Amino acid sequence: MTVKITHTAEIQKFFEEAAGFGNDNGSPRLKRIMLRILQDTAKLIEDLEITQDEFWFAVDYINRLGARGEAGLLVAGLGLEHFLDLLQDAKDEQLGRTGGTPRTIEGPLYVAGAPIAEGEARMDDGSEEDVATVMFLEGRVLDLDGKPIAGATVDLWHANTKGNYSYFDKSQSEYNLRRRIITDAEGRYRARSIVPSGYGCDPQGPTQECLDLLGRHGQRPAHIHFFISAPGYRHLTTQINLAGDRYLWDDFAYATRDGLVGDIRFIEDAEAAAKRGVKGRFAELEFNFQLQKASSAEDEQRSRRPRALQVVGA
Ligand code: MBD
Ligand code: FE
């Protein structure tokens, strides 16, 4: 037996009251959004005949998700963060704002305030020297005509050999594998770092608990995150996902896109290693970024999404 009451005037009036439409205070924008959430949630409860047990399980799940700080991880895993990219792409397409390096999701693990370097930086603290492969990453930031952009900020971050990120992994040093590099006169940035491993959701966490119930894994391919910015150009949030990784096109967060695959080369040549000042096998990765021109001051800024800020030495 399916009973439905959401459509009745009585229930609609009740949700309007709950969403604050009976008063003149607060935020009209939030009221409108909240009314829609209440209406759509009620309809979902009715249509799918959500049980009391299911409803209260979900409430408890939200508490556990927040307590573990995994809300940003779940929205990535459910593809909602990728959906925001697809929606922005479609808006851009309609306005003819095409070209340049594709955007892809930021993910939940950026930390603001990484050390700044001119032209080049070493990103790793040397703590994984015995197990890591040294990676030389370099490339240029260009405009849509292929002209170099000097003084661009390449804000990049990636995981260690265990797939963990500094700040969130308290066993790593502050800002390990996180840097801001300012491009030189040729628009070039250079980093010496270590080859990252792919990230996997905490198997005991609430995000993986949900993915298990969806029959899905929670793995990402090895990747490097970037914010690229320069005065007069549109902020770019993107990633290089590494070729050869088994999860390259099976990413639980759907971040890999055509044009964002990095052809990392592994080199075993004693002479080449000596030239680089390293021993044994190492990796090279070259990747250029192309930025669109900004058409508003807001274009130059990354989104206002709340993010961690690490205070060095605190
Ligand atoms: C990551 O490193 C990441 O990039 C995303 C999108 C989600 C979880 C971990
Ligand atoms: Fe990541």
Side-chain angles (χ1 to χ4, degrees), residues 250-294:
D250 187 20
D251 175 2
F252 98 101
Y254 308 101
T256 308
R257 307 189 80 172
D258 285 331
L260 298 180
V261 176
D263 283 310
I264 191 163
R265 296 189 309 274
F266 291 91
I267 296 158
E268 276 170 273
D269 177 338
E271 213 172 291
K275 238 186 241 170
R276 288 287 203 178
V278 296
K279 276 189 214 116
R281 187 170 178 264
F282 66 98
E284 287 180 354
L285 176 56
E286 196 175 341
F287 203 90
N288 296 332
F289 299 91
Q290 280 192 295
L291 299 185
Q292 294 179 3
K293 280 246 152 62

Side-chain angles (χ1 to χ4, degrees), residues 110 141 149-156 180-183 226-237 289 291-292 299-302:
Y110 176 74
V141 178
I149 303 174
T153 301
V154 177
D155 191 341
L156 73 165
R180 282 178 286 178
I181 304 173
I182 312 300
T183 58
F226 294 86
F227 286 162
I228 315 281
S229 58
Y233 293 89
R234 198 175 188 193
H235 171 92
L236 175 67
T237 296
F289 299 91
L291 299 185
Q292 294 179 3
D299 260 5
E300 297 182 24
Q301 307 297 321
R302 61 186 189 239

Side-chain angles (χ1 to χ4, degrees), residues 109 157 165 199 220 223 225:
L109 303 175
W157 67 105
Y165 286 79
Y199 171 95
R220 293 218 55 217
H223 61 279
H225 295 267

Side-chain angles (χ1 to χ4, degrees), residues 6-24:
T6 296
H7 63 281
T8 64
E10 202 179 335
I11 296 295
Q12 288 299 320
K13 274 205 73 169
F14 170 58
F15 284 148
E16 282 168 25
E17 159 57 31
F21 282 85
N23 72 70
D24 292 327

